Amino acid sequence: MTQTAAVASERPSPETAGDNARAWLDANLPQTLREDILQEREPSIAELSEWESKLHKAGIIGATWPKQYGGGDLGLRAHLDISREIGRTPMPESVNSIGKELAGPIILAVGNERQKAEYLPAILEMRNIWCQGFSEPNAGSDLAGLRTRAEKTGDGWVINGQKIWTSGASKSSHCLLLARTGSVEDRHRGLVLFAVDTSLPGVDIREIKSIDGARHFCEVFFNDVVVPEADMLGSPDQGWAAATRVLSIERATNRMHRAWRFENQLQHLVSACAENPATRRLVEHDYARPLAEVAVNIELLKGHVETLVGSLIDGNEIGPRGSLPKMFWSEAHQDFSKLALEIVSRFPPDMSDPLRAVKRRMEDIYIKARAETIYAGTTEIQLGIIAKRILKLNWER
């Protein structure tokens, strides 16, 4: 039996997936990775990769992927049960979320057998980390306006162009790249997806320093990069359909743990404040009503996610409905981050370590939430999708 098959055979059944995930996470999350206690330093990429590799071996990551590619083959109901436990656990976000939540599903959908066998186990085992080369300086949410060119040659495809806001590109081994074979006027036609090795000659990755001093975002330049024909995902005319599938997946089910992570953040804020008379008064009197409204929003978000999963299990497509939980989460979570920052800014100077921990966490959430209404399609784009494709309105911005 291969190592991949041996790991897969040890994984839980769909009926016990959530319970097993909870027990394993409670027993194995290192103190140094907990986001609800005060940490002396940020964990390294190596530490986070090791943790995610352990999550895969425990059957917590890759639950819905086929067993022959290292997955659990458990189905969406088990995926939802596991996602609840991932969300309720105060652990770091994945450093390979693009690989696991975007590149992997696309490779499963349009990749050939060689690509699936090569890329998918490497993603789950954290041997490859991926980034997403979609947005460009003048083509962010409007992907159909992208200008990065792919020209067919005898050696494969030659790529020229620029991508921007490419999350995690500097630590990635591969890029899920969307490029154009025709003119910009072709819009949705002539778009092609590639699995690009970021170590190829001509790939120039430059980190962008954000307002909090982090260097998570990058701009990526492609200067006569030769990508082998074997690394094209699907056909040259399949790029737009595959890209929109990526975005519908990203907006709906792949990050459904967010609803329960949101709940964990709210509970952390309230419970930490309750330990001190001064801060307890803040949450019990000054902010009781807005915090209750946050709790309502969290329950509504859970309902969005659970409804979509039920619809998928019944055999329906996500389609434009994927915009509903993405938009609702990003707006509600951004509002929560502003409220949380206001509360922690009123903490006493001589606060305890538990209060320092929640203050630092809420400040970090606030900074990161600024982009949540932008990535995976802005709020304005989501409203347009809902108006046109769900309400069937002839809506113009």
Side-chain angles (χ1 to χ4, degrees):
M1 180 182 293
T2 66
Q3 181 178 3
T4 297
V7 169
S9 67
E10 299 169 1
R11 291 181 179 163
S13 68
E15 294 76 18
T16 63
D19 291 340
N20 281 321
R22 175 183 285 241
W24 191 93
L25 288 166
D26 287 347
N28 289 280
L29 176 63
Q31 289 291 102
T32 55
L33 295 185
R34 292 188 67 96
E35 295 196 332
D36 59 351
I37 62 175
L38 199 62
Q39 300 292 348
E40 295 181 359
R41 62 174 181 83
E42 293 289 326
S44 67
I45 295 298
E47 290 171 322
L48 293 172
S49 295
E50 181 183 6
W51 166 243
E52 291 188 43
S53 178
K54 290 179 179 178
L55 289 173
H56 167 244
K57 291 177 182 177
I60 295 173
I61 298 297
T64 62
W65 292 17
K67 287 185 178 180
Q68 66 263 39
Y69 307 126
D73 211 9
L74 291 182
L76 276 171
R77 182 64 62 190
H79 182 36
L80 174 59
D81 293 342
I82 292 171
S83 292
R84 289 192 183 102
E85 302 310 321
I86 290 174
R88 63 167 283 275
T89 305
M91 65 184 192
E93 295 291 342
S94 171
V95 295
N96 200 13
S97 61
I98 300 297
K100 296 170 182 175
E101 299 169 0
L102 303 179
I106 288 303
I107 293 167
L108 278 168
V110 303
N112 58 41
E113 185 57 35
R114 181 201 65 81
Q115 291 167 339
K116 293 175 184 178
E118 177 181 344
Y119 293 130
L120 297 178
I123 290 171
L124 293 178
E125 295 165 11
M126 295 299 292
R127 291 184 281 115
N128 291 161
I129 295 178
W130 286 66
C131 61
Q132 178 187 358
F134 280 22
S135 295
E136 298 184 1
N138 294 305
S141 295
D142 181 20
L143 281 179
L146 68 85
R147 297 176 179 273
T148 296
R149 292 272 303 163
E151 297 183 2
K152 188 75 173 67
T153 69
D155 297 323
W157 295 84
V158 177
I159 310 295
N160 282 283
Q162 178 189 359
K163 298 294 179 178
I164 193 72
W165 309 121
T166 310
S167 302
S170 59
K171 66 173 183 287
S172 299
S173 59
H174 289 78
C175 177
L176 180 66
L177 177 70
L178 186 64
R180 180 179 297 285
T181 60
S183 66
V184 177
E185 289 70 29
D186 289 337
R187 298 290 289 172
H188 302 153
R189 297 190 304 273
L191 293 174
V192 58
L193 277 170
F194 296 97
V196 178
D197 185 333
T198 57
S199 67
L200 288 174
V203 178
D204 181 11
I205 300 174
R206 305 176 189 178
E207 294 181 332
I208 299 172
K209 185 177 179 180
S210 56
I211 193 171
D212 61 348
R215 298 179 182 272
H216 181 63
F217 297 114
C218 301
E219 54 183 342
V220 184
F221 296 87
F222 297 87
N223 303 304
D224 292 328
V225 178
V226 179
V227 177
E229 178 78 15
D231 289 337
M232 179 177 66
L233 299 172
S235 68
D237 292 321
Q238 209 170 1
W240 179 254
T244 54
R245 178 184 173 88
V246 165
L247 292 175
S248 68
I249 290 169
E250 181 180 17
R251 292 167 184 162
T253 63
N254 265 334
R255 297 182 183 178
M256 56 184 152
H257 73 275
R258 284 171 169 165
W260 289 270
R261 181 63 47 79
F262 192 171
E263 183 175 51
N264 176 268
Q265 293 163 352
L266 173 63
Q267 291 173 343
H268 182 199
L269 175 63
V270 172
S271 63
C273 288
E275 297 300 316
N276 178 285
T279 54
R280 183 170 62 248
R281 180 170 181 82
L282 283 177
V283 296
E284 288 185 348
H285 297 279
D286 297 6
Y287 294 99
R289 184 183 179 95
L291 287 170
E293 291 173 350
V294 173
V296 172
N297 284 338
I298 290 170
E299 292 305 313
L300 290 172
L301 179 59
K302 290 178 184 177
H304 274 302
V305 173
E306 290 165 343
T307 298
L308 274 179
V309 170
S311 182
L312 284 169
I313 291 172
D314 290 340
N316 300 314
E317 291 287 333
I318 295 175
R321 291 181 61 82
S323 291
L324 296 174
K326 190 280 170 183
M327 179 185 161
F328 188 84
W329 167 77
S330 61
E331 293 285 344
H333 195 245
Q334 197 173 82
D335 288 344
F336 165 70
S337 75
K338 289 185 285 188
L339 175 66
L341 183 68
E342 184 178 334
I343 292 172
V344 301
S345 68
R346 296 179 61 182
F347 282 4
D350 59 343
M351 68 189 82
S352 62
D353 279 352
L355 288 180
R356 290 184 188 280
V358 76
K359 185 174 188 290
R360 181 179 296 179
R361 188 181 187 191
M362 296 304 124
E363 290 171 341
D364 184 61
I365 289 169
Y366 175 81
I367 291 171
K368 291 177 179 176
R370 296 302 85 207
E372 289 170 354
T373 50
I374 299 174
Y375 58 62
T378 65
T379 290
E380 291 74 18
I381 290 293
Q382 307 308 324
L383 289 173
I385 292 171
I386 292 166
K388 289 181 179 180
R389 299 181 60 192
I390 295 179
L391 298 179
K392 308 299 182 184
L393 300 176
N394 186 20
W395 181 80
E396 295 293 339
R397 283 181 291 176

